[in-house]
Amino acid sequence: KLSSPRGSQLVHMTLMMHSWVMPSQTFAQKLLTLYPLLLLSFAYFTTTETHFSINRKTVYFCPFARLCFPRSPHGNISQAPSPSVKKRKVSLIFDHMEPDEMAEHLSYLEFKNFCNVSFLDYRSYVVRGSVRDNPALERSVMMCNGVSQWVQLMILSRHTAQQRAQVFTKFIHVAQKLRALQNFNTLMAVTGGLCHSSISRLKDTSNLLPPDITKALSEMTELLSSRSNYSNYRRVYNDCTGFKVPILGVHLKDLISLNEALPDYIEEDKINLSKLQHLYSNINDLLAIHSCTPPFEANKDLLHLLTLSLDLYYTEDEIYELSYTKEPKNPKIQPLAPVKPPAVAEWGSGVTPRLDPDTISKHVKQMVDSIVKNYDQNQDGYISLEDFEKIAANFPFSFCTHETDREGQISREEITSYFMRGMSICAKLGYNFNEAHNFHETTYKRPTFCDICGGFLWGVIKQGYHCKGCGINCHRHCRDLVGLECLKKHKNTTGSCPCTPGPDLKTKGNSWST
């Protein structure tokens, strides 16, 4: 019986799902007691990982890991495409990005997160009922929330109702492309952002939306409605073939319902194989999507832009404050009928961004590298101030012009400092990156040594980099090793907002030495 396809599937399912009802060691002991000759002919169970064959398939058994599973021949079930390196330069300005391009890159990030969710992650969530201490699911929740907030912030960052209506329209087109790509999870996030009350209350903006855009939004909310247990979404999703990204919260809700509704045992001492079969089938369907090949490729520079954009974190109160700043309350105007946003079960409740300074620093560095790569025409570490102001408009904190080394240009170091200050405030990291290092390439007239590696700064001119704030000197290749916070000689007392930087220390670079 074990050699038949059905028998093999039953054995595989039992080995994979037994830990839902009993510890692996107890399960192994029961199997040894019931079928000693059969199992001993395959393998000897120990407290370390071992394996045996069933129907010519190698099965690994690890009691301490509480899991039996077929081992992937490549060791990694995630097959998300690696970003294609395109030689052509791309625009990192939001207004220049096509909706199709934006939807594909959001889908790349979403699919990458989805493929990182394993069987153990699903089991942990169902058993504990929380995504806490479950990094893969936490990242998925954070991206969903990040996309929703990003949509709201990009609309609210525009000064006029006409501009806000144009951004709203663009995100509708992004949502339509996400629907065509069958990426329902990001579609839920984008639609939720468009339907958020901080956006739906903007009467002046909504009055400028074309009828077809309003109709498209209505169709999206109908598709994602929670009515009848997401019946519309389930019908469409079940008809999808090939690449697709499910609304993870809906399917996790199904796993929770199955786990709670069906008993672990029947007739007192017999494992309820029907329950394990249903759970196994649902999880297996989700894991099978990992092997799909996305119908698009990604440009890593645009991925860096979106990654940093989604790192932003504002509280609900801050978003509403921004909304009322754009369109204040008017008691004489009849309020709009609220648009009910699509709702997912509270599977991600209590999850707030926990981006550490090192992660922010890494994302900022990647973003700055992409900016310099695409906009530094002379390859001298500077781009035009005009280009950077357009790029900075992708983010809700305002760019403030300040003294630079070159008139009309801004250096890599100044770009990095700007983003570090802005991101630290928006991400609520608790760091004041107005105290970030302000490095400038410097010509030293006296022998000077690197404060990081201790090596001599060789050369005739522009031997190294000097921080105007704390006076540290270092090699170009040592800058990334310097601590994030700059212990300035003169503390800034003008506030921590990135649009009100502290006083610049106007000291000539070539007068510094160690």
Side-chain angles (χ1 to χ4, degrees):
K1 292 182 179 179
L2 291 179
S3 62
S4 67
R6 181 175 177 81
S8 176
Q9 183 183 28
L10 179 63
V11 171
H12 179 212
M13 182 273 294
T14 306
L15 291 173
M16 188 172 183
M17 303 297 296
H18 72 274
S19 59
W20 292 67
V21 294
M22 68 172 61
S24 292
Q25 287 178 310
T26 303
F27 176 72
Q29 291 169 357
K30 287 182 177 293
L31 287 180
L32 283 170
T33 301
L34 294 172
Y35 310 105
L37 296 178
L38 175 64
L39 289 178
L40 288 174
S41 66
F42 289 138
Y44 178 75
F45 288 96
T46 67
T47 56
T48 58
E49 183 179 88
T50 186
H51 67 275
F52 54 93
S53 296
I54 295 180
N55 197 25
R56 297 182 181 178
K57 292 183 179 180
T58 301
V59 176
Y60 288 75
F61 183 83
C62 182
F64 285 164
R66 301 172 62 85
L67 172 65
C68 294
F69 54 95
R71 178 66 58 86
S72 168
H74 303 293
N76 187 353
I77 58 175
S78 175
Q79 298 182 14
S82 59
S84 62
V85 179
K86 300 181 181 180
K87 293 183 179 180
R88 69 176 181 84
K89 294 186 182 300
V90 300
S91 174
L92 300 178
I93 300 172
F94 177 83
D95 292 339
H96 295 172
M97 293 178 64
E98 295 295 329
D100 287 5
E101 194 174 39
M102 202 179 303
E104 289 173 354
H105 285 75
L106 287 172
S107 295
Y108 175 89
L109 294 173
E110 186 74 74
F111 189 61
K112 182 180 179 181
N113 282 340
F114 176 69
C115 287
N116 285 332
V117 182
S118 67
F119 169 84
L120 286 178
D121 294 321
Y122 289 119
R123 182 186 180 280
S124 171
Y125 175 76
V126 174
V127 172
R128 300 176 59 188
S130 171
V131 300
R132 289 186 180 277
D133 301 319
N134 192 333
L137 285 177
E138 280 191 327
R139 280 193 295 270
S140 183
V141 174
M142 287 172 59
M143 178 171 177
C144 190
N145 294 339
V147 170
S148 180
Q149 282 203 350
W150 180 58
V151 170
Q152 298 168 54
L153 292 170
M154 289 307 300
I155 295 173
L156 295 173
S157 65
R158 301 308 165 106
H159 299 297
T160 68
Q162 182 63 48
Q163 292 172 337
R164 292 191 290 274
Q166 290 172 352
V167 177
F168 191 105
T169 299
K170 187 167 192 170
F171 277 119
I172 285 291
H173 293 152
V174 171
Q176 291 173 325
K177 177 62 177 179
L178 291 169
R179 169 64 184 88
L181 290 172
Q182 301 180 156
N183 178 1
F184 297 98
N185 209 54
T186 311
L187 176 62
M188 172 72 80
V190 171
T191 306
L194 294 173
C195 294
H196 193 274
S197 52
S198 66
I199 302 300
S200 62
R201 64 164 295 277
L202 302 175
K203 182 175 175 59
D204 294 342
T205 301
S206 61
N207 287 338
L208 297 174
L209 296 175
D212 61 319
I213 296 301
T214 304
K215 179 182 178 183
L217 179 63
S218 177
E219 291 172 351
M220 296 296 177
T221 54
E222 182 67 18
L223 168 63
L224 303 173
S225 170
S226 59
R227 184 174 59 252
S228 301
N229 196 19
Y230 299 93
S231 59
N232 291 337
Y233 158 71
R234 293 179 188 277
R235 184 182 67 256
V236 172
Y237 177 79
N238 289 334
D239 291 338
C240 292
T241 57
F243 174 81
K244 57 185 177 180
V245 182
I247 301 176
L248 199 51
V250 172
H251 297 271
L252 288 174
K253 177 186 174 184
D254 291 345
L255 293 175
I256 288 280
S257 299
L258 281 171
N259 190 54
E260 293 181 350
L262 301 176
D264 292 342
Y265 294 90
I266 55 177
E267 299 179 13
E268 295 184 359
D269 59 346
K270 294 182 180 178
I271 295 177
N272 187 353
L273 289 181
S274 177
K275 172 180 179 174
L276 298 187
Q277 179 63 46
H278 280 90
L279 289 169
Y280 171 80
S281 177
N282 279 263
I283 295 176
N284 213 34
D285 288 344
L286 294 172
L287 295 177
I289 301 174
H290 294 183
S291 61
C292 294
T293 301
F296 51 78
E297 293 183 333
N299 179 284
K300 65 179 181 180
D301 296 324
L302 292 181
L303 290 177
H304 295 160
L305 170 66
L306 289 174
T307 298
L308 191 61
S309 299
L310 300 181
D311 284 345
L312 297 174
Y313 173 66
Y314 279 72
T315 65
E316 288 285 304
D317 290 341
E318 289 170 330
I319 292 178
Y320 277 110
E321 182 179 354
L322 185 58
S323 176
Y324 285 116
T325 300
K326 299 299 180 180
E327 293 189 22
K329 286 183 178 180
N330 189 340
K332 296 181 180 180
I333 299 179
Q334 187 70 20
L336 293 170
V339 179
K340 186 177 181 181
V344 179
E346 294 296 326
W347 66 284
S349 59
V351 177
T352 56
R354 294 187 295 180
L355 292 171
D356 58 281
D358 288 339
T359 300
I360 290 291
S361 180
K362 173 186 173 184
H363 292 170
V364 167
K365 183 181 183 303
Q366 290 174 337
M367 177 63 183
V368 173
D369 288 344
S370 294
I371 290 175
V372 173
K373 171 185 172 183
N374 288 280
Y375 291 88
D376 181 7
Q377 298 177 352
N378 300 324
Q379 297 184 345
D380 59 357
Y382 287 80
I383 72 170
S384 73
L385 201 56
E386 181 182 3
D387 280 341
F388 181 69
E389 287 176 340
K390 293 177 180 177
I391 296 170
N394 295 335
F395 301 87
F397 39 87
S398 301
F399 175 74
C400 287
T401 56
H402 56 275
E403 183 181 356
T404 61
D405 287 347
R406 298 184 186 180
E407 184 177 355
Q409 292 185 309
I410 183 170
S411 69
R412 173 194 289 267
E413 290 70 33
E414 290 167 331
I415 297 172
T416 302
S417 176
Y418 167 76
F419 279 118
M420 288 303 297
R421 291 198 305 270
M423 295 304 299
S424 68
I425 294 165
C426 295
K428 309 298 185 293
L429 293 177
Y431 284 78
N432 181 4
F433 281 102
N434 272 324
E435 307 299 335
H437 292 282
N438 186 14
F439 280 117
H440 291 271
E441 195 170 17
T442 304
T443 297
Y444 299 92
K445 292 186 176 181
R446 302 175 185 176
T448 306
F449 294 85
C450 176
D451 291 321
I452 304 304
C453 70
F456 185 71
L457 299 180
W458 293 96
V460 179
I461 61 172
K462 297 182 178 180
Q463 302 98 323
Y465 283 80
H466 170 77
C467 174
K468 291 184 176 181
C470 65
I472 193 173
N473 302 288
C474 63
H475 294 103
R476 171 188 289 271
H477 57 269
C478 290
R479 285 178 300 168
D480 295 337
L481 303 177
V482 180
L484 293 177
E485 272 194 293
C486 171
L487 302 178
K488 284 183 168 55
K489 296 176 181 178
H490 302 283
K491 292 293 183 181
N492 168 31
T493 58
T494 60
S496 60
C497 177
C499 57
T500 56
D504 196 7
L505 299 179
K506 301 179 180 179
T507 307
K508 294 296 183 181
N510 57 13
S511 67
W512 289 85
S513 67
T514 56

